[in-house]
Amino acid sequence: MSENDEKTRVTQVVQAPPPDQGTGNDCVVVIYAAEPGLLGKRYVLEKGPVRIGRGADNQIVLEGDSVSRRHCHFDRRQGAWHIVDDGSTNGTFLNEEQVKGSAQLNNGDRVKVGPTILKYLSGLDAEAKYHEEIYRMTIVDGLTQIHNKRYLFEALDKELIRARRYDRQLSLLIFDIDYFKNINDQYGHLAGDHVLRELARIVQERIRRDEVFARYGGEEFVIVLPETPLAGGVALAENLRGRVETHPFAFQGERIPVTISVGCAMLNEEKTAAELIQRADDKLYEAKRGGRNRVCS
């Protein structure tokens, strides 16, 4: 072989190790809490374990009768964060499913400890996701993941203006869960939270894109129905009432009977969102006085 001949070069290919799923930005943010001061608080996950419980020795201290002194903890295992239940009395829940031992977390997962829900954010853009979540909390209810009262009034104000301007019909439903206090007292507040979430999911499946479904407060919900006459609102209300009555609500193996009462109203002389809601609310109380599990308009 002459000096001008090119020599064959052998390059060793070394496979790069899989990227670590976690970063220094990994965190959990409180998206729902009984204590207003906790809402929106962020806890950065750096080194495990990060313990959660009522005891002051935990890194994340949460109040509530359903929170154990040492309830659960976040732990870093093989490049990923896990949620580990520490034998808590009332359980730790990941995306509404009870954690049996431990479970790996994925970006966006929700961890429920007692009445508090924490959302796990991961990745290089975790900081940006955190700020997005803070904004989202201003318009979305953390427990049910539907719109909140603030968003409801903003959307309803716009629909009132549109209905007046274009002479279009606008109906509104307001409903709540019958004897909800009894559900909390008999089955516990965690079961009550489950019922609220499941109810929101059932109704959400029936709502069209241009309709607004929001948690009005406690166990009360509102649906705004643009371009819908009162008869259409009543038909939807009856459909939802029936769906809820026949749905098998169950929490930790216990079946929970659930019904709703609904009040319906259509825009007439009302000038504000509050006035229209009040008229529907009057009909809701008429349904309550009439025996519950019914629709009044």
Side-chain angles (χ1 to χ4, degrees):
M1 181 182 294
S2 68
E3 292 182 0
N4 292 331
D5 289 337
E6 290 187 3
K7 294 181 179 179
T8 302
R9 296 182 180 181
V10 178
T11 303
Q12 184 177 7
V13 178
V14 179
Q15 185 174 358
D20 193 329
Q21 296 299 310
T23 72
N25 293 327
D26 290 356
C27 65
V28 289
V29 55
V30 179
I31 63 171
Y32 185 80
E35 307 154 73
L38 273 181
L39 203 58
K41 189 165 185 178
R42 174 172 55 171
Y43 298 91
V44 176
L45 303 178
E46 294 179 320
K47 295 180 180 179
V50 178
R51 300 196 176 277
I52 305 175
R54 282 192 293 112
D57 55 336
N58 294 283
Q59 287 92 333
I60 302 177
V61 179
L62 301 178
E63 300 297 329
D65 294 339
S66 51
V67 181
S68 299
R69 184 165 295 279
R70 279 288 185 93
H71 196 103
C72 61
H73 66 274
F74 295 107
D75 197 18
R76 190 103 168 119
R77 300 177 179 179
Q78 298 179 333
W81 286 99
H82 291 67
I83 182 67
V84 184
D85 184 77
D86 292 327
S88 64
T89 303
N90 293 290
T92 303
F93 296 83
L94 176 63
N95 301 328
E96 285 78 63
E97 296 292 331
Q98 187 167 358
V99 174
K100 304 296 185 182
S102 67
Q104 183 174 325
L105 295 173
N106 295 304
N107 184 48
D109 280 350
R110 298 185 305 278
V111 176
K112 190 168 190 292
V113 179
T116 305
I117 301 176
L118 305 102
K119 189 169 186 177
Y120 171 66
L121 302 176
S122 177
L124 295 174
D125 59 345
E127 180 75 18
K129 290 173 184 171
Y130 165 69
H131 291 290
E132 289 173 8
E133 196 62 36
I134 292 298
Y135 167 71
R136 191 170 183 272
M137 287 167 54
T138 65
I139 60 172
V140 172
D141 175 60
L143 178 65
T144 59
Q145 294 297 295
I146 62 174
H147 286 119
N148 60 17
K149 188 174 183 178
R150 172 181 171 176
Y151 182 90
L152 167 67
F153 273 91
E154 290 177 354
L156 185 51
D157 283 338
K158 292 176 183 176
E159 291 300 337
L160 282 169
I161 293 170
R162 188 176 291 116
R164 294 293 187 205
R165 180 178 296 166
Y166 300 107
D167 193 26
R168 293 174 179 171
Q169 294 170 315
L170 174 65
S171 292
L172 183 141
L173 312 181
I174 184 167
F175 64 91
D176 71 4
I177 300 171
D178 297 326
Y179 302 112
F180 186 66
K181 183 179 183 300
N182 291 352
I183 293 176
N184 280 331
D185 291 345
Q186 182 174 349
Y187 301 98
H189 288 275
L190 294 182
D193 286 351
H194 170 76
V195 168
L196 290 169
R197 283 195 307 270
E198 188 71 357
L199 174 65
R201 186 188 65 78
I202 294 167
V203 176
Q204 188 74 54
E205 291 175 350
R206 183 64 180 78
I207 298 302
R208 297 180 305 188
R209 182 174 296 181
D210 62 334
E211 297 169 346
V212 178
F213 177 39
R215 187 180 180 191
Y216 189 59
E219 70 274 22
E220 275 193 317
F221 299 83
V222 168
I223 304 174
V224 180
L225 304 169
E227 300 185 38
T228 303
L230 184 60
V234 171
L236 174 61
E238 283 289 0
N239 180 280
L240 295 176
R241 187 202 59 74
R243 283 173 180 246
V244 172
E245 184 181 23
T246 58
H247 184 78
F249 289 86
F251 182 73
Q252 294 184 334
E254 284 196 273
R255 178 74 180 265
I256 305 172
V258 178
T259 61
I260 60 173
S261 298
V262 191
C264 313
M266 189 176 79
L267 181 65
N268 189 3
E269 300 298 325
E270 292 80 16
K271 293 181 172 59
T272 67
E275 289 175 355
L276 180 57
I277 290 174
Q278 183 58 57
R279 194 151 62 83
D281 199 44
D282 292 342
K283 293 299 179 180
L284 169 60
Y285 278 93
E286 187 178 318
K288 294 284 190 185
R289 290 191 300 269
R292 293 178 167 82
N293 189 25
R294 63 189 61 210
V295 175
C296 283
S297 61

